[in-house]
Amino acid sequence: EDKVVQSPLSLVVHEGDTVTLNCSYEVTNFRSLLWYKQEKKAPTFLFMLTSSGIEKKSGRLSSILDKKELFSILNITATQTGDSAVYLCAVSNAGKSTFGDGTTLTVKP
Amino acid sequence: DVKVTQSSRYLVKRTGEKVFLECVQDMDHENMFWYRQDPGLGLRLIYFSYDVKMKEKGDIPEGYSVSREKKERFSLILESASTNQTSMYLCASSTSWGVYEQYFGPGTRLTVT
C-alpha cells in the first residue's frame, strides 16, 4: 500500500522565520512528488519534482527530492502571514496521487 | 486557466437519501478524481476515472459510486447517504501525459443529518 508521511503535523512560527516541511514516502511505480498549498479552499499546485537533487524554486519557496532516501523537503524563507496554510505532499503513480495528511503552518505577525 | 467546478458548495441531506455531486472541467483532461477530506485524515481517494465510462476504485470506495458519461463531467453518487459520509468532497482533474499535477474544484461540504 502506498504511503506518504508528512512532518511536523503543525507548526507555529513568527513572520521572518524560515521553515522546513518534510515528506517521506513508500510508493510503487513512483512518477513524481508534488507539493500543494491549501488555504480555506481547494489545494493549489506549488511544485512537481521528478529527479533527485534538483531544487525547484519559486520566490521564497523551494523544494528538493531525494529518491534514494525517499523524501522531499519544502522550505519557506522569510515567512509571511499569507503563508499560513496546510501544505500537502502527494506522490503520483501513473496519474493517481497518494496524499499525506498535511502540515498546518501558522505564521504569526 | 484550468477551471474545475462543482455543482454545490454546501449541501445538507438526510440519512438514506440518494445524493449526486457533479464535477465539470473545461481543460479536456483525461483523468478525473473524487476525494473526501476529513480533519486528521487528509485527502482520501474515493474513485478516479482515466477515460469516459472508465472508473477505478480508490482507497475508500465503499458507499459510493461514480459515473463518467462525458469527458468533462464526473459524478459522485451516494446511493444511501449516512452520517459518516458527512465530509468535504473535492473533485480534481489532470492530464494523462507529462505533468501530473491535479487541478481541484472548490469543494462541496456535505452534511448528512
Side-chain angles (χ1 to χ4, degrees), chain A residues 32-44:
Chain A
S32 60
L33 185 144
L34 304 104
W35 285 96
Y36 294 85
K37 178 182 182 183
Q38 185 176 23
E39 298 170 90
K40 290 181 181 175
K41 49 186 178 178
T44 54

Side-chain angles (χ1 to χ4, degrees), chain B residues 49-55 67-71:
Chain B
S49 168
Y50 51 89
D51 203 350
V52 175
K53 295 194 188 293
M54 306 301 285
K55 61 186 179 186
S67 171
R68 192 158 179 211
E69 296 296 318
K70 292 185 177 181
K71 191 174 186 180

Side-chain angles (χ1 to χ4, degrees), chain A residues 3-7 9 22-26 72 89 99-102:
Chain A
K3 196 173 172 184
V4 177
V5 178
Q6 292 186 245
S7 63
L9 287 181
N22 303 294
C23 175
S24 63
Y25 62 91
E26 293 174 27
S72 173
C89 172
F99 283 80
D101 291 346

Side-chain angles (χ1 to χ4, degrees), chain B residues 3-18:
Chain B
K3 197 166 178 190
V4 181
T5 56
Q6 294 183 229
S7 50
S8 307
R9 294 298 303 275
Y10 300 94
L11 210 51
V12 180
K13 294 290 181 181
R14 292 193 180 275
T15 301
E17 279 193 87
K18 191 167 185 174

Side-chain angles (χ1 to χ4, degrees), chain A residues 31 36 38 42 95 97 99, chain B residues 33 35 37 41 100-102 105:
Chain A
R31 295 289 184 94
Y36 294 85
Q38 185 176 23
S97 292
F99 283 80
Chain B
F33 309 83
Y35 296 90
Q37 187 173 32
L41 295 174
Y100 289 100
E101 79 226 49
Q102 294 182 17

Side-chain angles (χ1 to χ4, degrees), chain B:
Chain B
D1 269 357
V2 176
K3 197 166 178 190
V4 181
T5 56
Q6 294 183 229
S7 50
S8 307
R9 294 298 303 275
Y10 300 94
L11 210 51
V12 180
K13 294 290 181 181
R14 292 193 180 275
T15 301
E17 279 193 87
K18 191 167 185 174
V19 182
F20 292 87
L21 303 182
E22 300 277 321
C23 175
V24 178
Q25 50 94 2
D26 66 357
M27 279 301 291
D28 203 35
H29 284 168
E30 288 82 7
N31 296 341
M32 295 188 76
F33 309 83
W34 275 107
Y35 296 90
R36 64 177 283 177
Q37 187 173 32
D38 301 288
L41 295 174
L43 260 75
R44 293 181 290 166
L45 182 65
I46 305 170
Y47 268 96
F48 68 103
S49 168
Y50 51 89
D51 203 350
V52 175
K53 295 194 188 293
M54 306 301 285
K55 61 186 179 186
E56 292 282 343
K57 291 180 181 179
D59 301 316
I60 51 163
E62 298 78 18
Y64 303 95
S65 62
V66 290
S67 171
R68 192 158 179 211
E69 296 296 318
K70 292 185 177 181
K71 191 174 186 180
E72 67 271 19
R73 190 179 295 269
F74 192 35
S75 302
L76 179 70
I77 303 149
L78 287 66
E79 296 289 343
S80 177
S82 63
T83 54
N84 63 11
Q85 292 179 309
T86 292
S87 186
M88 170 67 85
Y89 289 88
L90 289 165
C91 174
S93 71
S94 73
T95 63
S96 286
W97 306 105
V99 179
Y100 289 100
E101 79 226 49
Q102 294 182 17
Y103 296 86
F104 285 84
T108 295
R109 185 162 292 284
L110 173 67
T111 303
V112 182
T113 60

